[in-house]
Protein backbone atom coordinates (compact mmCIF):
# COMPACT_ATOMS: atom_id res chain seq x y z
CA UNK A 1 0.00 0.00 0.00
CA UNK A 2 2.87 2.38 0.85
CA UNK A 3 6.24 2.53 -0.91
CA UNK A 4 8.64 0.23 0.89
CA UNK A 5 10.90 2.90 2.42
CA UNK A 6 7.87 4.77 3.75
CA UNK A 7 6.42 1.57 5.16
CA UNK A 8 9.67 0.94 7.02
CA UNK A 9 9.69 4.45 8.44
CA UNK A 10 6.07 4.05 9.56
CA UNK A 11 6.80 0.78 11.36
CA UNK A 12 9.87 2.23 13.09
CA UNK A 13 7.94 5.33 14.13
CA UNK A 14 5.11 3.26 15.57
CA UNK A 15 7.60 1.21 17.58
CA UNK A 16 9.25 4.38 18.85
CA UNK A 17 5.85 5.73 19.92
CA UNK A 18 5.04 2.57 21.85
CA UNK A 19 8.44 2.38 23.55
CA UNK A 20 9.27 5.91 24.55
CA UNK A 21 7.69 9.27 25.05
CA UNK A 22 8.65 11.82 22.44
CA UNK A 23 7.50 15.41 22.31
CA UNK A 24 8.16 18.24 19.90
CA UNK A 25 8.04 21.96 19.76
CA UNK A 26 7.24 23.24 16.28
CA UNK A 27 7.51 27.00 15.87
CA UNK A 28 7.18 28.74 12.51
CA UNK A 29 10.12 31.10 11.86
CA UNK A 30 7.81 33.96 10.97
CA UNK A 31 8.74 36.26 13.83
CA UNK A 32 10.60 36.27 17.12
CA UNK A 33 8.96 34.06 19.75
CA UNK A 34 6.90 35.96 22.30
CA UNK A 35 6.35 35.01 25.91
CA UNK A 36 3.28 32.92 25.02
CA UNK A 37 5.23 30.90 22.45
CA UNK A 38 8.06 30.45 24.92
CA UNK A 39 5.67 29.29 27.64
CA UNK A 40 4.27 26.68 25.25
CA UNK A 41 7.84 25.57 24.55
CA UNK A 42 8.53 25.34 28.30
CA UNK A 43 5.38 23.26 28.87
CA UNK A 44 6.13 20.98 25.94
CA UNK A 45 9.67 20.42 27.23
CA UNK A 46 8.42 19.86 30.78
CA UNK A 47 5.67 17.41 29.84
CA UNK A 48 8.08 15.38 27.71
CA UNK A 49 10.96 15.40 30.20
CA UNK A 50 8.64 14.44 33.09
CA UNK A 51 8.05 11.22 31.15
CA UNK A 52 11.78 10.76 30.50
CA UNK A 53 11.16 11.42 26.84
CA UNK A 54 13.03 13.00 23.97
CA UNK A 55 12.15 16.52 22.95
CA UNK A 56 12.46 17.44 19.29
CA UNK A 57 12.68 20.90 17.80
CA UNK A 58 11.01 21.18 14.41
CA UNK A 59 10.85 24.37 12.40
CA UNK A 60 7.62 24.67 10.43
CA UNK A 61 9.22 26.64 7.62
CA UNK A 62 7.20 25.51 4.59
CA UNK A 63 5.41 28.81 4.25
CA UNK A 64 8.50 30.42 2.76
CA UNK A 65 7.12 33.87 1.96
CA UNK A 66 6.25 34.30 5.65
CA UNK A 67 9.62 33.11 6.97
CA UNK A 68 11.78 35.98 8.18
CA UNK A 69 15.54 35.92 7.76
CA UNK A 70 17.45 35.56 11.01
CA UNK A 71 14.42 34.46 13.03
CA UNK A 72 15.42 30.81 13.06
CA UNK A 73 18.62 31.66 14.93
CA UNK A 74 16.74 33.78 17.49
CA UNK A 75 14.45 30.78 18.18
CA UNK A 76 17.41 28.50 18.83
CA UNK A 77 19.12 31.16 20.95
CA UNK A 78 16.01 31.95 23.02
CA UNK A 79 15.28 28.28 23.78
CA UNK A 80 18.91 27.61 24.70
CA UNK A 81 19.07 30.72 26.90
CA UNK A 82 16.06 29.43 28.83
CA UNK A 83 17.72 26.03 29.26
CA UNK A 84 15.27 24.26 26.96
CA UNK A 85 17.67 21.98 25.13
CA UNK A 86 16.35 19.75 22.38
CA UNK A 87 17.49 16.28 21.35
CA UNK A 88 19.09 15.55 18.01
CA UNK A 89 19.44 17.89 15.07
CA UNK A 90 17.01 20.73 14.41
CA UNK A 91 14.38 19.41 11.98
CA UNK A 92 13.14 21.61 9.17
CA UNK A 93 9.98 20.90 7.24
CA UNK A 94 11.54 22.58 4.20
CA UNK A 95 14.05 19.69 4.13
CA UNK A 96 11.32 17.03 4.30
CA UNK A 97 9.28 18.01 1.24
CA UNK A 98 10.19 14.74 -0.55
CA UNK A 99 8.57 12.77 2.25
CA UNK A 100 5.37 14.80 2.16
CA UNK A 101 5.20 14.42 -1.63
CA UNK A 102 5.59 10.62 -1.33
CA UNK A 103 2.76 10.42 1.20
CA UNK A 104 0.60 12.68 -0.94
CA UNK A 105 1.01 10.50 -4.04
CA UNK A 106 0.30 7.34 -2.06
CA UNK A 107 -2.86 8.84 -0.58
CA UNK A 108 -3.86 9.92 -4.06
CA UNK A 109 -3.32 6.44 -5.49
CA UNK A 110 -5.43 4.97 -2.69
CA UNK A 111 -8.32 7.24 -3.63
CA UNK A 112 -8.24 9.15 -0.34
CA UNK A 113 -7.80 12.51 -2.07
CA UNK A 114 -9.74 14.25 -4.79
CA UNK A 115 -8.92 17.19 -7.03
CA UNK A 116 -10.79 20.41 -6.35
CA UNK A 117 -11.31 23.23 -8.83
CA UNK A 118 -13.12 25.66 -6.59
CA UNK A 119 -11.57 29.10 -6.59
CA UNK A 120 -10.86 30.94 -3.36
CA UNK A 121 -13.27 33.63 -4.50
CA UNK A 122 -16.11 31.10 -4.85
CA UNK A 123 -15.39 29.63 -1.42
CA UNK A 124 -15.14 33.07 0.18
CA UNK A 125 -18.55 33.97 -1.26
CA UNK A 126 -20.29 30.98 0.25
CA UNK A 127 -18.50 30.95 3.59
CA UNK A 128 -20.25 32.03 6.75
CA UNK A 129 -18.27 34.55 8.80
CA UNK A 130 -17.29 32.23 11.65
CA UNK A 131 -13.70 33.37 11.94
CA UNK A 132 -12.26 29.90 11.71
CA UNK A 133 -11.81 28.48 8.17
CA UNK A 134 -15.18 27.43 6.80
CA UNK A 135 -16.19 23.83 6.18
CA UNK A 136 -15.77 22.98 2.50
CA UNK A 137 -19.20 22.15 1.09
CA UNK A 138 -17.88 19.31 -1.08
CA UNK A 139 -18.66 20.74 -4.54
CA UNK A 140 -15.89 18.73 -6.25
CA UNK A 141 -16.34 15.49 -4.31
CA UNK A 142 -18.36 13.71 -6.96
CA UNK A 143 -16.58 14.97 -10.05
CA UNK A 144 -14.57 12.40 -11.99
CA UNK A 145 -10.93 12.90 -10.98
CA UNK A 146 -9.00 14.84 -13.55
CA UNK A 147 -5.43 15.69 -12.67
CA UNK A 148 -4.56 18.05 -15.48
CA UNK A 149 -4.87 21.80 -15.84
CA UNK A 150 -8.26 23.31 -16.61
CA UNK A 151 -8.35 26.90 -17.84
CA UNK A 152 -4.63 27.05 -17.11
CA UNK A 153 -4.96 25.99 -13.46
CA UNK A 154 -4.03 22.74 -11.79
CA UNK A 155 -6.42 21.43 -9.12
CA UNK A 156 -5.82 21.56 -5.41
CA UNK A 157 -6.06 18.20 -3.61
CA UNK A 158 -8.42 17.56 -0.72
CA UNK A 159 -8.56 14.78 1.84
CA UNK A 160 -11.86 12.92 1.56
CA UNK A 161 -13.22 12.63 5.11
CA UNK A 162 -16.10 10.25 5.72
CA UNK A 163 -18.83 11.59 7.97
CA UNK A 164 -18.62 10.50 11.60
CA UNK A 165 -16.87 11.60 14.73
CA UNK A 166 -13.14 12.33 14.66
CA UNK A 167 -11.84 12.07 18.18
CA UNK A 168 -8.51 12.37 19.93
CA UNK A 169 -7.08 12.16 23.40
CA UNK A 170 -7.12 15.72 24.73
CA UNK A 171 -5.24 16.26 27.98
CA UNK A 172 -5.94 19.97 28.57
CA UNK A 173 -8.40 21.69 26.26
CA UNK A 174 -12.07 21.02 25.49
CA UNK A 175 -12.90 17.32 24.90
CA UNK A 176 -11.26 16.16 21.68
CA UNK A 177 -13.91 15.45 19.09
CA UNK A 178 -15.41 17.06 15.99
CA UNK A 179 -17.85 15.76 13.43
CA UNK A 180 -16.01 15.19 10.15
CA UNK A 181 -18.48 16.43 7.57
CA UNK A 182 -20.22 19.25 9.44
CA UNK A 183 -17.37 20.61 11.60
CA UNK A 184 -14.20 19.76 9.71
CA UNK A 185 -14.82 19.18 6.01
CA UNK A 186 -12.43 17.99 3.31
CA UNK A 187 -9.27 19.99 4.00
CA UNK A 188 -6.77 20.95 1.28
CA UNK A 189 -3.48 19.05 1.50
CA UNK A 190 -1.87 20.51 -1.59
CA UNK A 191 -2.83 23.83 -3.06
CA UNK A 192 -3.17 24.37 -6.80
CA UNK A 193 0.12 26.32 -6.80
CA UNK A 194 1.94 23.29 -5.33
CA UNK A 195 2.10 24.61 -1.75
CA UNK A 196 1.98 21.75 0.77
CA UNK A 197 -0.51 22.42 3.52
CA UNK A 198 0.22 22.61 7.23
CA UNK A 199 -2.11 19.68 7.98
CA UNK A 200 -0.22 17.38 5.64
CA UNK A 201 3.28 18.24 6.84
CA UNK A 202 2.31 18.24 10.50
CA UNK A 203 0.44 14.93 10.39
CA UNK A 204 3.21 13.22 8.41
CA UNK A 205 5.78 14.49 10.87
CA UNK A 206 3.88 13.42 14.00
CA UNK A 207 3.41 10.00 12.40
CA UNK A 208 6.92 9.49 11.06
CA UNK A 209 8.78 11.05 13.97
CA UNK A 210 6.94 8.82 16.43
CA UNK A 211 5.62 11.80 18.38
CA UNK A 212 3.59 10.79 21.42
CA UNK A 213 2.76 14.13 23.02
CA UNK A 214 1.86 17.26 21.08
CA UNK A 215 1.80 20.36 23.29
CA UNK A 216 0.73 23.51 21.47
CA UNK A 217 -1.51 26.56 21.78
CA UNK A 218 -5.25 26.31 22.21
CA UNK A 219 -5.71 28.21 18.93
CA UNK A 220 -4.69 25.01 17.12
CA UNK A 221 -7.24 22.78 18.87
CA UNK A 222 -9.57 22.58 15.84
CA UNK A 223 -6.72 21.62 13.48
CA UNK A 224 -6.33 18.36 15.38
CA UNK A 225 -9.26 16.50 13.80
CA UNK A 226 -7.99 16.44 10.19
CA UNK A 227 -4.45 15.77 11.40
CA UNK A 228 -5.63 12.78 13.42
CA UNK A 229 -7.60 11.48 10.42
CA UNK A 230 -4.46 11.69 8.30
CA UNK A 231 -2.26 10.04 10.90
CA UNK A 232 -4.76 7.19 11.13
CA UNK A 233 -4.88 6.83 7.37
CA UNK A 234 -1.11 6.27 7.56
CA UNK A 235 -1.83 3.36 9.91
CA UNK A 236 -0.30 5.12 12.94
CA UNK A 237 -1.73 5.81 16.38
CA UNK A 238 -2.20 9.54 16.92
CA UNK A 239 -0.32 11.37 19.68
CA UNK A 240 -1.98 12.72 22.79
CA UNK A 241 -2.74 16.42 22.50
CA UNK A 242 -2.20 19.11 25.11
CA UNK A 243 -3.70 22.40 23.92
CA UNK A 244 -2.47 24.98 26.39
CA UNK A 245 -4.05 28.36 27.13
CA UNK A 246 -2.71 31.34 25.20
CA UNK A 247 -0.94 34.15 26.98
CA UNK A 248 -3.02 37.31 26.98
CA UNK A 249 -1.96 40.88 27.71
CA UNK A 250 -3.67 42.88 30.48
CA UNK A 251 -6.39 43.92 27.98
CA UNK A 252 -7.19 40.27 27.35
CA UNK A 253 -5.68 40.26 23.83
CA UNK A 254 -3.49 37.32 22.90
CA UNK A 255 0.15 38.15 22.27
CA UNK A 256 1.25 38.47 18.68
CA UNK A 257 4.64 37.90 17.08
CA UNK A 258 4.22 41.22 15.28
CA UNK A 259 4.54 43.07 18.57
CA UNK A 260 8.27 42.65 19.18
CA UNK A 261 8.02 44.09 22.71
CA UNK A 262 6.67 40.82 24.07
CA UNK A 263 9.75 38.67 23.55
CA UNK A 264 12.89 37.96 25.56
CA UNK A 265 14.93 41.06 24.62
CA UNK A 266 12.45 43.37 26.37
CA UNK A 267 12.60 41.27 29.55
CA UNK A 268 16.38 40.99 29.36
CA UNK A 269 16.57 44.77 29.12
CA UNK A 270 14.50 45.03 32.27
CA UNK A 271 17.13 42.88 34.00
CA UNK A 272 15.44 39.49 33.88
CA UNK A 273 17.75 36.47 33.74
CA UNK A 274 16.65 32.98 32.64
CA UNK A 275 15.53 31.97 36.15
CA UNK A 276 13.40 35.12 36.33
CA UNK A 277 11.71 34.41 32.99
CA UNK A 278 11.11 30.71 33.72
CA UNK A 279 9.62 31.75 37.08
CA UNK A 280 7.42 34.34 35.37
CA UNK A 281 6.13 31.81 32.84
CA UNK A 282 5.56 29.09 35.44
CA UNK A 283 3.78 31.52 37.77
CA UNK A 284 1.50 32.69 34.95
CA UNK A 285 -0.12 29.25 34.90
CA UNK A 286 -0.03 28.79 38.66
CA UNK A 287 2.83 26.28 38.80
CA UNK A 288 4.85 28.39 41.26
CA UNK A 289 4.05 31.47 43.38
CA UNK A 290 4.46 34.87 41.70
CA UNK A 291 8.00 36.19 42.02
CA UNK A 292 9.62 32.72 42.08
CA UNK A 293 12.95 32.42 40.31
CA UNK A 294 13.97 28.98 39.15
CA UNK A 295 15.71 27.26 36.25
CA UNK A 296 13.90 24.97 33.83
CA UNK A 297 15.74 22.04 35.45
CA UNK A 298 14.54 23.10 38.91
CA UNK A 299 10.99 23.38 37.63
CA UNK A 300 11.31 19.87 36.19
CA UNK A 301 12.68 18.50 39.45
CA UNK A 302 9.80 20.00 41.44
CA UNK A 303 6.94 19.00 39.08
CA UNK A 304 4.80 15.90 38.65
CA UNK A 305 2.87 15.11 35.50
CA UNK A 306 -0.69 14.60 36.74
CA UNK A 307 -0.85 17.60 39.10
CA UNK A 308 0.72 19.67 36.31
CA UNK A 309 -1.92 18.45 33.86
CA UNK A 310 -4.73 19.30 36.25
CA UNK A 311 -3.35 22.76 36.91
CA UNK A 312 -2.96 23.51 33.19
CA UNK A 313 -6.37 22.05 32.32
CA UNK A 314 -7.95 24.53 34.69
CA UNK A 315 -6.47 27.36 32.60
CA UNK A 316 -7.09 26.02 29.07
N1 LIG B 1 4.07 25.98 13.52
C1 LIG B 1 2.85 26.24 14.21
C2 LIG B 1 2.90 27.59 14.88
O1 LIG B 1 3.97 28.10 15.11
C3 LIG B 1 2.56 25.25 15.30
C4 LIG B 1 2.26 23.94 14.73
C5 LIG B 1 1.91 22.87 15.74
O2 LIG B 1 2.38 22.91 16.89
O3 LIG B 1 1.23 21.96 15.30
O4 LIG B 1 1.86 28.13 15.15
Amino acid sequence: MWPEHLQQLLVQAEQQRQERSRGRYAPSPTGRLHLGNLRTALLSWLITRLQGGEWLLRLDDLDTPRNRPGVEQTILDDLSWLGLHWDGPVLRQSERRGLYATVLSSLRRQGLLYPCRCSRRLLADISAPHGRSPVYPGFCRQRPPHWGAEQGRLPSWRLRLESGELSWQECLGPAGHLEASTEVGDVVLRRSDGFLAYHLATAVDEALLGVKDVVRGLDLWHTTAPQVALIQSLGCSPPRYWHAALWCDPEGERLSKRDGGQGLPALQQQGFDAAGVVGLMAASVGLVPTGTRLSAQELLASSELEPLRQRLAGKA
Side-chain angles (χ1 to χ4, degrees):
M1 179 161 94
W2 303 101
E4 183 131 354
H5 71 285
L6 185 60
Q7 184 61 39
Q8 271 173 15
L9 291 175
L10 287 167
V11 170
Q12 280 166 14
E14 196 54 23
Q15 249 168 14
Q16 149 76 36
R17 203 182 343 263
Q18 305 302 337
E19 281 165 14
R20 186 148 190 221
S21 159
R22 196 177 250 186
R24 66 24 165 214
Y25 180 56
S28 304
T30 53
R32 185 143 193 165
L33 299 180
H34 57 58
L35 259 191
N37 302 135
L38 291 166
R39 185 176 70 184
T40 304
L42 173 68
L43 295 176
S44 166
W45 176 86
L46 191 58
I47 287 166
T48 305
R49 294 293 193 228
L50 279 171
Q51 300 173 80
E54 285 176 334
W55 192 59
L56 308 181
L57 176 60
R58 184 184 85 211
L59 293 166
D60 288 358
D61 58 353
L62 281 184
D63 194 355
T64 31
R66 293 183 60 231
N67 293 344
R68 293 223 341 255
V71 164
E72 176 178 323
Q73 194 55 48
T74 66
I75 294 177
L76 309 189
D77 292 347
D78 287 357
L79 294 175
S80 305
W81 187 81
L82 287 168
L84 305 179
H85 302 293
W86 56 93
D87 295 303
V90 175
L91 304 165
R92 289 180 191 81
Q93 289 192 326
S94 57
E95 293 167 2
R96 297 167 61 80
R97 286 180 208 269
L99 214 47
Y100 310 139
T102 307
V103 170
L104 198 70
S105 346
S106 300
L107 292 170
R108 209 148 47 180
R109 275 198 303 275
Q110 292 170 46
L112 296 173
L113 309 185
Y114 64 91
C116 172
R117 307 277 173 179
C118 295
S119 66
R120 276 203 226 175
R121 160 103 55 91
L122 169 75
L123 296 177
D125 285 349
I126 49 134
S127 73
H130 286 313
R132 161 180 347 154
S133 56
V135 173
Y136 176 64
F139 293 145
C140 292
R141 246 183 175 237
Q142 309 305 341
R143 287 172 38 137
H146 171 233
W147 296 43
E150 275 178 20
Q151 292 167 349
R153 269 174 58 106
L154 286 167
S156 59
W157 287 86
R158 289 185 182 271
L159 176 66
R160 187 186 294 278
L161 285 181
E162 298 311 329
S163 57
E165 186 137 286
L166 288 170
S167 58
W168 66 91
Q169 189 178 348
E170 175 65 51
C171 304
L172 297 183
H177 57 85
L178 284 173
E179 205 289 318
S181 45
T182 56
E183 295 180 300
V184 183
D186 296 339
V187 291
V188 170
L189 297 190
R190 183 185 183 279
R191 277 188 345 211
S192 57
D193 60 4
F195 182 90
L196 298 172
Y198 158 68
H199 290 310
L200 173 72
T202 300
V204 170
D205 282 344
E206 316 306 18
L208 287 182
L209 297 171
V211 172
K212 197 161 177 178
D213 289 289
V214 169
V215 181
R216 57 186 180 186
L218 197 51
D219 53 333
L220 292 170
W221 178 89
H222 64 277
T223 70
T224 312
Q227 292 171 15
V228 161
L230 257 173
I231 293 170
Q232 284 169 335
S233 72
L234 288 164
C236 295
S237 9
R240 295 184 295 190
Y241 290 86
W242 308 64
H243 288 101
L246 303 177
W247 191 306
C248 292
D249 65 17
E251 282 78 50
E253 294 293 321
R254 47 191 265 213
L255 302 191
S256 139
K257 280 184 185 169
R258 277 186 296 276
D259 184 348
Q262 298 163 331
L264 280 187
L267 288 168
Q268 287 163 338
Q269 264 175 18
Q270 290 169 42
F272 274 86
D273 60 2
V277 178
V278 170
L280 183 71
M281 295 194 292
S284 73
V285 276
L287 300 182
V288 294
T290 306
T292 307
R293 293 169 32 80
L294 80 179
S295 68
Q297 279 299 336
E298 285 164 340
L299 180 62
L300 174 63
S302 61
S303 302
E304 279 180 67
L305 191 63
E306 184 49 25
L308 171 80
R309 191 195 70 74
Q310 285 177 16
R311 179 65 68 155
L312 296 175
K315 308 265 171 190

